Coordinates of all heavy atoms in Angstrom, one line a residue:
P69 N 10.1 29.9 -11.5 CA 8.7 30.2 -11.9 C 7.7 29.2 -11.5 O 8.0 28.1 -11.5 CB 8.7 30.4 -13.5 CG 10.3 30.6 -13.8 CD 11.0 30.1 -12.7
T70 N 6.6 29.5 -10.9 CA 5.6 28.6 -10.5 C 5.0 27.7 -11.6 O 4.7 26.6 -11.1 CB 4.4 29.5 -9.9 OG1 3.9 30.2 -10.9 CG2 4.8 30.4 -8.8
V71 N 5.2 28.1 -12.8 CA 4.7 27.1 -13.9 C 5.6 25.9 -13.8 O 5.0 24.8 -14.2 CB 4.7 27.8 -15.2 CG1 6.2 28.1 -15.7 CG2 4.1 27.0 -16.3
V72 N 6.9 25.9 -13.4 CA 7.7 24.7 -13.3 C 7.1 23.8 -12.4 O 7.1 22.6 -12.6 CB 9.1 25.2 -13.0 CG1 10.0 23.9 -12.8 CG2 9.8 26.1 -14.0
G73 N 6.7 24.3 -11.2 CA 6.1 23.5 -10.2 C 4.9 22.8 -10.6 O 4.6 21.6 -10.3
T74 N 4.0 23.6 -11.3 CA 2.8 23.1 -11.9 C 3.1 22.0 -12.9 O 2.4 20.9 -12.9 CB 2.0 24.2 -12.5 OG1 1.8 25.3 -11.6 CG2 0.8 23.8 -13.2
L75 N 4.1 22.1 -13.8 CA 4.4 21.2 -14.7 C 4.9 19.9 -14.1 O 4.6 18.7 -14.6 CB 5.4 21.7 -15.7 CG 5.0 22.8 -16.6 CD1 6.0 23.4 -17.6 CD2 3.7 22.3 -17.6
V76 N 5.8 20.0 -13.0 CA 6.2 18.8 -12.4 C 5.1 18.1 -11.7 O 5.1 16.8 -11.8 CB 7.4 19.3 -11.3 CG1 7.6 18.1 -10.4 CG2 8.5 19.8 -11.9
G77 N 4.2 18.8 -11.1 CA 3.1 18.2 -10.6 C 2.2 17.4 -11.6 O 1.8 16.2 -11.3
A78 N 2.1 18.0 -12.7 CA 1.2 17.4 -13.8 C 2.0 16.2 -14.3 O 1.3 15.2 -14.6 CB 0.9 18.4 -14.8
A79 N 3.2 16.2 -14.4 CA 4.1 15.0 -14.9 C 3.9 14.0 -13.9 O 3.7 12.8 -14.3 CB 5.5 15.5 -15.0
I80 N 3.9 14.2 -12.6 CA 3.8 13.2 -11.6 C 2.4 12.5 -11.7 O 2.3 11.4 -11.6 CB 4.0 13.7 -10.3 CG1 5.5 14.2 -10.1 CG2 3.7 12.7 -9.2 CD1 5.9 14.9 -8.8
V81 N 1.4 13.4 -11.9 CA 0.1 12.8 -11.9 C -0.1 11.9 -13.2 O -0.6 10.7 -13.1 CB -1.0 13.9 -11.9 CG1 -2.4 13.4 -12.3 CG2 -1.0 14.6 -10.6
V82 N 0.4 12.5 -14.3 CA 0.2 11.7 -15.6 C 0.9 10.6 -15.5 O 0.5 9.3 -16.0 CB 0.6 12.6 -16.8 CG1 0.7 11.8 -18.1 CG2 -0.3 13.7 -16.9
G83 N 2.2 10.5 -15.0 CA 3.1 9.3 -15.0 C 2.4 8.3 -14.0 O 2.4 7.1 -14.3
T84 N 1.8 8.7 -12.9 CA 1.2 7.8 -12.0 C 0.0 7.1 -12.7 O -0.3 5.8 -12.6 CB 0.8 8.4 -10.8 OG1 1.8 9.0 -10.1 CG2 0.0 7.5 -9.8
L85 N -0.8 7.8 -13.4 CA -1.9 7.3 -14.0 C -1.7 6.4 -15.2 O -2.2 5.3 -15.4 CB -2.9 8.5 -14.6 CG -3.6 9.4 -13.5 CD1 -4.2 10.5 -14.3 CD2 -4.5 8.5 -12.7
V86 N -0.5 6.7 -16.0 CA -0.1 5.8 -17.1 C 0.5 4.6 -16.5 O 0.2 3.4 -17.0 CB 1.0 6.6 -17.9 CG1 1.7 5.6 -18.8 CG2 0.4 7.7 -18.5
H87 N 1.2 4.6 -15.5 CA 1.8 3.4 -14.8 C 0.6 2.5 -14.3 O 0.7 1.2 -14.6 CB 2.7 3.8 -13.8 CG 3.2 2.6 -12.8 ND1 4.1 1.8 -13.3 CD2 2.8 2.2 -11.6 CE1 4.2 0.7 -12.4 NE2 3.6 1.1 -11.4
L88 N -0.3 3.1 -13.7 CA -1.3 2.3 -13.1 C -2.3 1.6 -14.2 O -2.7 0.5 -14.2 CB -2.3 3.2 -12.1 CG -3.4 2.5 -11.5 CD1 -3.0 1.3 -10.7 CD2 -4.3 3.4 -10.7
G89 N -2.5 2.5 -15.3 CA -3.3 1.9 -16.4 C -2.5 0.7 -17.1 O -3.0 -0.2 -17.5
R90 N -1.2 0.9 -17.4 CA -0.3 -0.1 -17.9 C -0.4 -1.4 -17.1 O -0.5 -2.5 -17.6 CB 1.1 0.4 -18.3 CG 1.1 1.4 -19.3 CD 2.6 1.9 -19.6 NE 3.4 0.7 -19.8 CZ 4.7 0.7 -20.0 NH1 5.4 1.9 -19.7 NH2 5.4 -0.3 -20.3
R91 N -0.2 -1.2 -15.8 CA -0.2 -2.3 -14.8 C -1.5 -3.1 -14.8 O -1.6 -4.3 -14.7 CB 0.1 -1.8 -13.4 CG 0.5 -3.0 -12.4 CD 0.9 -2.4 -11.1 NE 1.2 -3.5 -10.2 CZ 2.4 -4.2 -10.2 NH1 3.3 -3.8 -11.1 NH2 2.6 -5.1 -9.3
T92 N -2.6 -2.3 -14.9 CA -3.9 -3.0 -14.9 C -4.1 -3.7 -16.1 O -4.7 -4.9 -16.0 CB -5.1 -1.8 -14.8 OG1 -4.8 -1.1 -13.5 CG2 -6.4 -2.5 -14.7
R93 N -3.7 -3.2 -17.3 CA -3.9 -3.9 -18.6 C -3.0 -5.1 -18.6 O -3.4 -6.1 -19.2 CB -3.6 -3.0 -19.7 CG -4.6 -1.9 -20.0 CD -4.3 -1.2 -21.3 NE -3.1 -0.5 -21.3 CZ -2.9 0.7 -20.9 NH1 -3.9 1.4 -20.4 NH2 -1.8 1.3 -21.0
R94 N -1.9 -5.1 -18.0 CA -1.0 -6.3 -18.0 C -1.4 -7.3 -17.1 O -1.3 -8.5 -17.3 CB 0.5 -5.8 -17.7 CG 1.5 -6.9 -17.8 CD 2.9 -6.3 -17.5 NE 3.2 -5.4 -18.6 CZ 4.3 -4.7 -18.7 NH1 5.3 -4.8 -17.6 NH2 4.6 -3.9 -19.6
Y95 N -1.8 -6.9 -15.8 CA -2.0 -8.0 -14.7 C -3.5 -8.1 -14.4 O -3.9 -8.9 -13.5 CB -1.1 -7.7 -13.5 CG 0.3 -7.7 -13.8 CD1 1.1 -6.4 -13.6 CD2 1.0 -8.7 -14.3 CE1 2.4 -6.4 -14.0 CE2 2.3 -8.7 -14.6 CZ 3.0 -7.5 -14.4 OH 4.4 -7.5 -14.6
G96 N -4.3 -7.2 -14.8 CA -5.7 -7.1 -14.4 C -5.7 -6.2 -13.2 O -4.8 -5.6 -12.8
L97 N -7.0 -6.3 -12.4 CA -7.1 -5.4 -11.3 C -6.4 -5.9 -10.0 O -6.4 -5.2 -9.0 CB -8.5 -5.3 -11.0 CG -9.5 -4.6 -12.0 CD1 -10.9 -4.5 -11.6 CD2 -9.0 -3.2 -12.1
D98 N -5.6 -7.0 -10.1 CA -5.0 -7.7 -9.0 C -3.4 -7.5 -9.3 O -2.9 -8.3 -10.0 CB -5.3 -9.1 -8.8 CG -4.8 -9.5 -7.4 OD1 -4.0 -8.8 -6.7 OD2 -5.2 -10.7 -7.0
P99 N -2.8 -6.4 -8.9 CA -1.4 -6.3 -9.1 C -0.5 -7.3 -8.6 O 0.7 -7.4 -8.9 CB -1.2 -4.9 -8.7 CG -2.0 -4.7 -7.5 CD -3.2 -5.4 -8.0
A100 N -1.1 -8.1 -7.5 CA -0.1 -9.2 -6.9 C 0.2 -10.2 -8.0 O 1.3 -10.9 -7.8 CB -0.9 -9.9 -5.8
A101 N -0.4 -10.3 -9.0 CA -0.1 -11.2 -10.0 C 1.3 -10.9 -10.7 O 2.1 -11.7 -11.2 CB -1.1 -11.1 -11.3
G102 N 1.7 -9.5 -10.7 CA 3.0 -9.2 -11.3 C 4.1 -9.3 -10.2 O 5.2 -9.0 -10.7
T103 N 3.8 -9.5 -9.0 CA 4.9 -9.6 -8.1 C 5.0 -10.9 -7.2 O 5.7 -11.1 -6.2 CB 4.6 -8.5 -7.0 OG1 3.3 -8.7 -6.4 CG2 4.7 -7.1 -7.6
A104 N 4.4 -12.0 -7.8 CA 4.3 -13.3 -7.2 C 5.7 -13.8 -7.0 O 6.0 -14.6 -6.1 CB 3.4 -14.2 -7.9
R105 N 6.6 -13.5 -7.9 CA 7.9 -14.2 -7.9 C 8.8 -13.5 -6.8 O 9.7 -14.1 -6.3 CB 8.6 -13.9 -9.2 CG 8.0 -14.7 -10.4 CD 8.6 -14.4 -11.7 NE 10.0 -14.6 -11.7 CZ 10.5 -15.8 -12.1 NH1 9.7 -16.7 -12.5 NH2 11.8 -16.0 -12.1
V106 N 8.5 -12.3 -6.4 CA 9.3 -11.6 -5.5 C 9.2 -12.2 -4.1 O 10.2 -12.3 -3.4 CB 8.9 -10.1 -5.4 CG1 9.9 -9.3 -4.5 CG2 9.1 -9.5 -6.8
G107 N 7.9 -12.5 -3.7 CA 7.7 -13.0 -2.3 C 8.4 -14.2 -1.9 O 8.5 -14.4 -0.8
R108 N 8.7 -15.0 -3.0 CA 9.5 -16.3 -2.6 C 10.7 -16.0 -2.0 O 11.3 -16.9 -1.4 CB 9.6 -17.1 -3.9 CG 8.3 -17.6 -4.5 CD 8.5 -18.5 -5.7 NE 9.3 -17.8 -6.7 CZ 10.1 -18.4 -7.7 NH1 10.3 -19.6 -7.4 NH2 10.7 -17.7 -8.6
R109 N 11.4 -14.9 -2.1 CA 12.6 -14.5 -1.6 C 12.5 -13.8 -0.3 O 13.5 -13.2 0.2 CB 13.4 -13.8 -2.6 CG 13.8 -14.6 -3.8 CD 14.5 -13.7 -4.8 NE 14.9 -14.6 -6.1 CZ 14.1 -14.7 -7.0 NH1 12.9 -14.3 -7.0 NH2 14.5 -15.5 -8.0
C110 N 11.3 -13.5 0.2 CA 11.1 -12.7 1.4 C 11.6 -13.5 2.7 O 11.5 -14.7 2.7 CB 9.6 -12.4 1.5 SG 8.9 -11.5 0.2

């Protein structure tokens, strides 16, 4: 049923927005603050 595809799309959109909002509240508008430890191993 097409409603399944619609619900999957809505879930992806909501999940993306929630993740971006949480990341912004945690690190501010600069997400590099949350990944500074990773680059030391590049």
Side-chain angles (χ1 to χ4, degrees):
T70 57
V71 67
V72 175
T74 302
L75 293 176
V76 171
I80 293 175
V81 170
V82 172
T84 301
L85 294 175
V86 169
H87 171 74
L88 182 60
R90 292 179 59 187
R91 189 174 183 82
T92 302
R93 288 191 297 271
R94 180 175 298 176
Y95 303 115
L97 292 178
D98 190 352
T103 57
R105 295 173 60 88
V106 181
R108 294 185 299 152
R109 298 175 174 84
C110 296

